[in-house]
Amino acid sequence: MCRVVELKQSVLARNDECALALRTELAARGTVVVNLLSSPGSGKTELLERELTLARERGVPVAALTADLATEHDAARLARSGVPVKQVLTDGLCHLEAHMLRGHLDGWLPAETRLLFVENVGNLVCPASYDLGETLRVVLGSVTEGEDKPLKYPTAYGLANLVVVTKTDLAAPAAFDEAAFRANVVRVNPGVEVVLTSARDGSGVGTVLDRALAALEGGPVHRPVMARPAPHRHEDGPGHSHDHGDGDGGGHEHGGGPHLHPAVSVR
């Protein structure tokens, strides 16, 4: 068992090295990465479309890469913003890694891009362990998911530079307790900003873009105090094994290993 943990620590260490190199490389060309994490159905894509549209209207050179297990639906939706968009199909892999992101940027990312928004796979477990070279990690949770999500997914929320609450237009029918949610966020990530948004009625739209632009200009970014935990391993049955950090992804093996479909660019 110790050898497995050491192997996964080595995998994460290599990812961190690649992430650092990517962050340094992009910073040299004046580009900042914003990594968006959430559960499926949080409204992440709809809010991101609004943020990208606003960036284009403001004349900010932005691009977006969206990752999903299957379908190109998210890329098609984001492309309505009029900015460069690329879809990555992971075919079952539950997260992006730094080397994967770098590979998909080569030959695609426009040279003038100042902000690159990465919509990670819809999952609050696996993606939390992997640095993608981002400057700003944004974790989103909808009012319909409940107030206890920060406690159930402490690594995802605990490593966030910004927390965004989505679908606030549904807060009343969902009986969302904002005070309880904020208190739970404080328990896992003291000092992180919590932003309330609704892509439907427009409230809070533009805040993520504003925070990203501030980071691009060298402004202060919240630094979480949580350290990423060591990974562990569990077996799912013949031919399937999963390695995770805190329940976070250390990579998934499915029979012959993970598979990636070619990325699809949409303009």
Side-chain angles (χ1 to χ4, degrees):
M1 184 60 68
C2 290
R3 293 179 62 187
V4 172
V5 171
E6 290 172 359
L7 173 61
K8 293 315 304 168
Q9 288 174 334
S10 177
V11 168
L12 290 175
R14 288 198 298 272
N15 181 83
D16 288 347
E17 290 175 2
C18 183
L20 176 59
L22 180 58
R23 185 181 294 108
T24 301
E25 177 183 323
L26 290 175
R29 55 181 278 177
T31 303
V32 155
V33 175
V34 181
N35 185 10
L36 305 176
L37 284 71
S38 80
S39 299
S42 69
K44 177 167 79 267
T45 305
E46 186 172 9
L47 180 63
L48 180 55
E49 180 187 348
R50 295 288 300 272
E51 298 284 345
L52 295 174
T53 300
L54 184 59
R56 180 181 57 77
E57 292 172 349
R58 291 184 182 178
V60 180
V62 299
L65 182 146
T66 180
D68 220 331
L69 278 66
T71 82
E72 300 164 16
H73 295 168
D74 286 354
R77 292 177 63 185
L78 295 179
R80 296 184 304 199
S81 67
V83 310
V85 175
K86 188 172 191 177
Q87 177 80 58
V88 176
L89 300 181
T90 66
D91 192 25
L93 193 65
C94 66
H95 61 278
L96 287 173
E97 298 178 15
H99 73 92
M100 296 163 56
L101 177 60
R102 182 168 193 167
H104 288 303
L105 297 184
D106 289 343
W108 168 73
L109 187 66
E112 69 275 11
T113 304
R114 299 283 74 87
L115 296 176
L116 170 63
F117 288 89
V118 177
E119 184 181 21
N120 219 313
V121 179
N123 185 340
L124 282 177
V125 181
C126 306
S129 289
Y130 287 86
D131 183 359
L132 298 183
E134 70 264 22
T135 296
L136 194 66
R137 176 177 290 203
V138 182
V139 174
L140 303 91
S142 71
V143 298
T144 57
E145 294 177 60
E147 300 82 10
D148 60 350
K149 280 298 182 289
L151 304 183
K152 288 186 174 182
Y153 300 96
T155 299
Y157 279 89
L159 293 176
N161 306 114
L162 178 67
V163 172
V164 173
V165 179
T166 61
K167 304 184 181 181
T168 55
D169 53 304
L170 300 176
F176 178 69
D177 188 335
E178 180 187 338
F181 179 85
R182 288 181 179 274
N184 290 335
V185 170
V186 169
R187 288 177 63 181
V188 300
N189 194 344
V192 69
E193 182 182 10
V194 177
V195 175
L196 304 182
T197 68
S198 169
R200 293 297 173 88
D201 66 25
S203 59
V205 172
T207 305
V208 173
L209 175 60
D210 289 342
R211 300 299 180 269
L213 288 171
L216 176 66
E217 295 167 1
V221 174
H222 171 71
R223 299 301 178 191
V225 297
M226 173 179 282
R228 185 172 57 208
H232 69 270
R233 183 182 182 90
H234 67 265
E235 299 296 332
D236 294 313
H240 291 77
S241 62
H242 289 62
D243 292 290
H244 295 300
D246 63 331
D248 287 36
H252 286 199
E253 298 173 0
H254 298 277
H259 310 284
L260 291 180
H261 286 303
V264 178
S265 295
V266 182
R267 287 298 297 265

